[in-house]
C-alpha cells in the first residue's frame, strides 16, 4: 500500500506500508523520525487527506482512515500517524460485522 506522507515541516514523500495485517514493515522516500507523528497521510491518486481528528488509543497521536475491501464489504481501517506506534483498528460497525461473521462461521450456519 503506497500513500503520500507529510512531515510537520511540510516535506512530502511516499510511504509504502505492508498490505498484510499485523506486518508493520514500511519504507519511505523521506526520513521519518522514530516516534515522530507525521502531519498527514494522503491518497496518492487524488491527494485527499486521510487524517482524522480521532486520536490513537495507545499514544494519543492522530489517526488516518483508509477503506479496506473484503468482498463483499468495505471497512474503515484506522492507523496511527506516529512512527513506531503499532496501534490500528476498525470502526465499531466493522467490528460488529466481523464478530457476526466469526460467530456464524463457528456455528456452521
Amino acid at each position: 500500500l503506497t500513500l503520500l506522507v507529510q512531515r510537520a515541516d511540510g516535506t512530502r514523500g511516499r510511504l509504502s506500508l505492508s498490505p498484510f495485517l499485523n506486518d508493520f514493515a514500511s519504507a519511505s522516500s523521506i526520513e521519518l523520525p522514530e516516534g515522530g507523528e507525521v502531519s498527514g497521510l494522503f491518497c496518492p491518486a487524488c491527494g485527499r487527506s486521510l487524517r482524522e481528528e480521532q486520536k490513537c488509543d495507545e499514544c494519543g497521536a492522530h489517526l488516518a482512515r483508509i477503506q479496506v475491501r473484503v468482498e463483499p464489504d468495505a471497512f474503515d481501517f484506522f492507523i496511527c500517524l506516529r512512527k513506531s506506534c503499532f496501534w490500528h483498528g476498525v470502526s465499531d460497525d466493522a467490528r460488529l460485522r466481523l464478530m457476526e461473521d466469526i460467530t456464524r462461521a463457528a456455528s456452521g450456519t
Side-chain angles (χ1 to χ4, degrees):
L1 172 65
T2 299
L3 303 169
L4 299 178
V5 63
Q6 181 174 308
R7 292 190 313 221
D9 68 3
T11 303
R12 284 193 176 197
R14 293 202 174 271
L15 175 65
S16 296
L17 303 173
S18 171
F20 301 106
L21 190 61
N22 293 327
D23 178 355
F24 301 104
S26 66
S28 178
S29 64
I30 60 173
E31 184 179 346
L32 300 174
E34 284 298 316
E37 181 179 351
V38 299
S39 64
L41 282 180
F42 303 87
C43 172
C46 70
R48 180 173 173 243
S49 175
L50 304 174
R51 180 179 158 151
E52 297 284 312
E53 289 306 312
Q54 187 176 349
K55 302 289 181 100
C56 174
D57 290 344
E58 294 292 320
C59 75
H62 283 93
L63 300 178
R65 178 174 53 98
I66 58 175
Q67 196 169 75
V68 176
R69 181 164 294 282
V70 180
E71 293 298 334
D73 296 316
F75 299 101
D76 287 337
F77 185 76
F78 299 92
I79 55 175
C80 182
L81 293 183
R82 184 177 310 280
K83 185 174 180 180
S84 301
C85 179
F86 300 120
W87 183 91
H88 57 280
V90 295
S91 65
D92 290 338
D93 180 51
R95 186 174 291 109
L96 288 173
R97 290 194 297 181
L98 290 169
M99 291 306 295
E100 289 171 1
D101 288 349
I102 291 167
T103 301
R104 192 170 29 257
S107 69
T109 58

